[in-house]
Amino acid sequence: MDIAVLGAGSWGTAMAIHLNSMRHNVCIWTKDQEQLEEIQDTHYNKKYLDVRLPESIGITTDIEYALENKKIVVMAVPSHAVRSVVERISGVIDKESIIVNLAKGLETSSLKRMSQVIKEMIDNPVVVLSGPSHAEEVCKHIPTVCVISSDDINACEYVQDVMMDENFRLYINKDLIGVELGGSLKNIIALGAGISDGLGFGDNTKAALMTRGLAEITRLGVALGSDPLTFLGLTGMGDLIVTCTSMYSRNRRAGIKIGQGKSLNETLDEIGMVVEGVNTTKSAYKLSKMHNIEMPITCEIYSILFEGKDPREAVYSLMTRNKKHEMEDI
């Protein structure tokens, strides 16, 4: 199978390595000439992953060349770049190509999910891949299980056949809205888990954040048309666990720095890569207000990131809310 991977960050690189290991013909597109030369010369993409890329993986800065005769096009750019990249390919992508989107986020300006953004501009089938999947492990062929979703079940089944092997298992979930929201909103809670760690709190605090965080993710998801059971699966609880507990998680690492007293700008500069949860916090905060959904953790993280609230004051606000029954809002 001839496959294009658009984006040479951590996830794009890891996915290219995985697909290459399945003997697919893979071509990565990057807009960065220096990155292209580094990979061609050394077969490493050091900024993102410390793993050698096989010589059989192609790389180019010519996006039309990358797309030529590709049955599957993997969209591996950050969520804020999806619209601009799709605009670039809209006139050249084969109409039969299936787009597999890896970006987990919401568009800040429109509050749309990534599949909605893509479908605005092209009519190609769009399959969303989500779930607990650190690139640092996928590139080493460590057993990983994810979920794919689409409004085109035939495209989903095709992608499952092409991309799944003994180290990378894919389930199909027909709840496209829930799969996308679960993968996006969990990054907010991961920021909170990192802030908790940065403040020196323990396992009790993190368990509470994850559990109550999942509750508010589910509330917003149901309001937007999701199946609540989706959030108990790989794109909800599964992704939440891995993102809140691992140091591979940029969102958790960013939260730790903020909890230790660093500003958002200092934190993002030190991470040096996209922290999807930051923009997603802004989007989810707006959606919660639009739909009148109670999301106290999201609101406090928004206050920390964008209004300068002290993290300890945010924790105090959460802990001193009105008394409630655990299940009354579910």
Side-chain angles (χ1 to χ4, degrees), residues 165-220:
D165 69 1
E166 69 274 15
N167 296 313
F168 194 73
R169 182 171 177 81
L170 293 172
Y171 285 94
I172 292 174
N173 184 330
K174 295 180 181 180
D175 179 16
L176 178 60
I177 298 173
V179 168
E180 289 190 276
L181 289 176
S184 302
L185 298 175
K186 54 85 185 177
N187 286 327
I188 304 170
I189 308 307
L191 280 168
I195 291 170
S196 172
D197 291 334
L199 290 169
F201 297 150
D203 296 338
N204 294 351
T205 314
K206 185 176 291 186
L209 272 169
M210 292 170 67
T211 306
R212 297 309 302 168
L214 186 63
E216 64 183 62
I217 287 171
T218 304
R219 283 198 295 272
L220 181 60

Side-chain angles (χ1 to χ4, degrees), residues 14 59 260 265 309 328:
I59 184 162
Q260 291 171 339
N265 287 336
K309 188 169 186 177
E328 68 181 81

